[in-house]
Each structure stands twice: as C-alpha cells, then as structure tokens.
Amino acid sequence: MCKTIEVASVVVVDHLSPAKALVAAGDELDRDGEELFTPPLNFAMVENGIFRSGFPDTANFAFLQTLGLRSIIYLCPEPYPEANNEFLKSNGIKLFQFGIEGYKEPFVNIPEDTIREALKVVLDVRNHPLLIHCKRGKHRTGCVVGCLRKLQKWCLSSIFDEYQRFAAAKARVSDQRFMELFDVSSMKHLPISFSCSKR
C-alpha cells in the first residue's frame, strides 16, 4: 500500500516565530482535512519490515501508524514515556526494551549479549514490521543495525558507511570497532528470511 505524504512548508509571517508558523501551517492542514505525517529523527528503512530512528514523540505517531508496526525495540534504559506506552497499547505494538547505557567515548561499554538478544528479536519475522530506536538513532541503533549487516554478509566498509551516515560528526571509533569484532558465528543458525545480499 502506498500513501502520499504531504510535507508542509513553513513561511515566517511578520509577527510569528518559525515554531508558531509551523503550528499555524499544521492547523491549516487540519482544517482542510489533510493529515501531516512526520517521521522520527533519523528515520530510515533498514530492510522490508525493519525500520530505524531516533526517539519518536507524539508528533510522529500518525506517521508510525502508517507502518503497521507489530514491535518496537527500545535500546535505552529509561522507562518508556506514558504517551508512547498508550500509543503502543492502542495500536497493538509490543515493546522490547534492551537498556543499553548511552556512554561517551572513551568510556563506551557496548554489551555484546544485549546486542545479540536484540538481534534475535529483529530476526524473528513474527515481530515484523518493527522499529529499532534509541535517543537519536545514531550509536546504539547504529550498532544493532551494523551487527545485523554483518549477519547479512555486508562488507565492513559498507557497514561503516551506513553507520556514519546516521552518526555523522558524532561517529565513534569504539562503535565501529565493536561492529568489526562482533562474532556472528553463534547466530548463523538463526533463520534470516530477508535480503542477505553482499554489498
């Protein structure tokens, strides 16, 4: 199913700030019966049925509904906000929380067992479509997706390119080292029912 997503442009009117102008543009769209879909920060499709992003807020809920999600993998230790929990309940979405602390280099400790458990959820097609997210969709999400790419037999340069596209100036050598050293041999018995093309 394909849906057209309308994007509103923001025009700053004399006395309105850009934020108020955006609200005014959104209000105008609502009066016309049009719905504005806003994806979360750093949103992208990883594979058919697998998406990634930063932390979704209430402004992203209409967009997320269009994905028909069954599951969300949340990679932060903080409790999921009540508004997000209500969204999950009302849409029949299951939450898998893997509380990985968000450290800054050089004190980064990426728990390999936790990444492995998150990947098991990703590989189980009964959980698809699913969204993987952390705070900004950069480091923790990037590591899970990077390790998935290793399972898909992507070359390291392609894995690092994808990671850097989302992490940008905040790319961490420690994350890339973790992905490089991540041992996929213990997961090769798990079925991968989506594309495993080499890149």
Side-chain angles (χ1 to χ4, degrees):
M1 177 171 73
C2 182
K3 286 192 175 188
T4 304
I5 298 175
E6 187 170 334
V7 179
S9 61
V10 178
V11 178
V12 180
V13 183
D14 322 286
H15 62 283
L16 294 179
S17 70
K20 288 180 183 172
L22 180 59
V23 170
D27 288 345
E28 191 173 307
L29 288 173
D30 288 340
R31 276 185 252 126
D32 292 340
E34 298 291 327
E35 193 168 3
L36 181 63
F37 297 99
T38 307
L41 176 73
N42 270 332
F43 177 84
M45 178 185 270
V46 176
E47 285 290 331
N48 283 331
I50 303 173
F51 306 93
R52 65 176 293 163
S53 75
F55 203 98
D57 62 26
T58 55
N60 309 130
F61 290 171
F63 175 83
L64 293 178
Q65 282 180 313
T66 68
L67 302 177
L69 296 173
R70 281 191 193 156
S71 309
I72 288 182
I73 295 177
Y74 173 46
L75 300 171
C76 302
E78 296 81 19
Y80 219 50
E82 189 57 38
N84 291 58
N85 274 321
E86 286 303 316
F87 173 75
L88 299 183
K89 284 179 198 166
S90 65
N91 288 279
I93 300 170
K94 186 172 183 178
L95 178 67
F96 294 91
Q97 184 170 3
F98 298 95
I100 301 171
E101 292 291 338
Y103 296 104
K104 294 185 188 266
E105 284 188 308
F107 306 105
V108 178
N109 176 28
I110 304 164
E112 190 168 331
D113 289 343
T114 305
I115 298 290
R116 210 173 289 288
E117 290 303 309
L119 283 171
K120 288 178 185 174
V121 174
V122 172
L123 294 173
D124 187 344
V125 295
R126 294 172 296 182
N127 297 320
H128 295 185
L130 67 81
L131 173 69
I132 305 165
H133 81 81
C134 53
K135 288 280 190 221
R136 302 275 178 218
K138 295 178 180 186
H139 304 112
R140 291 170 275 201
T141 299
C143 285
V144 170
V145 172
C147 293
L148 172 65
R149 298 306 193 195
K150 278 193 82 168
L151 277 167
Q152 293 178 296
K153 299 180 173 52
W154 278 31
C155 67
L156 280 175
S157 62
S158 293
I159 293 170
F160 294 163
D161 284 348
E162 182 180 43
Y163 169 82
Q164 290 166 355
R165 199 170 32 244
F166 290 93
K170 303 255 181 178
R172 295 178 179 162
V173 172
S174 56
D175 288 348
Q176 292 172 78
R177 187 175 305 118
F178 174 83
M179 290 180 272
E180 180 179 2
L181 299 175
F182 185 77
D183 181 16
V184 297
S185 64
S186 68
M187 302 192 78
K188 290 191 178 185
H189 68 284
L190 296 171
I192 300 177
S193 61
F194 42 85
S195 171
C196 289
S197 58
K198 294 181 183 180
R199 300 229 177 190

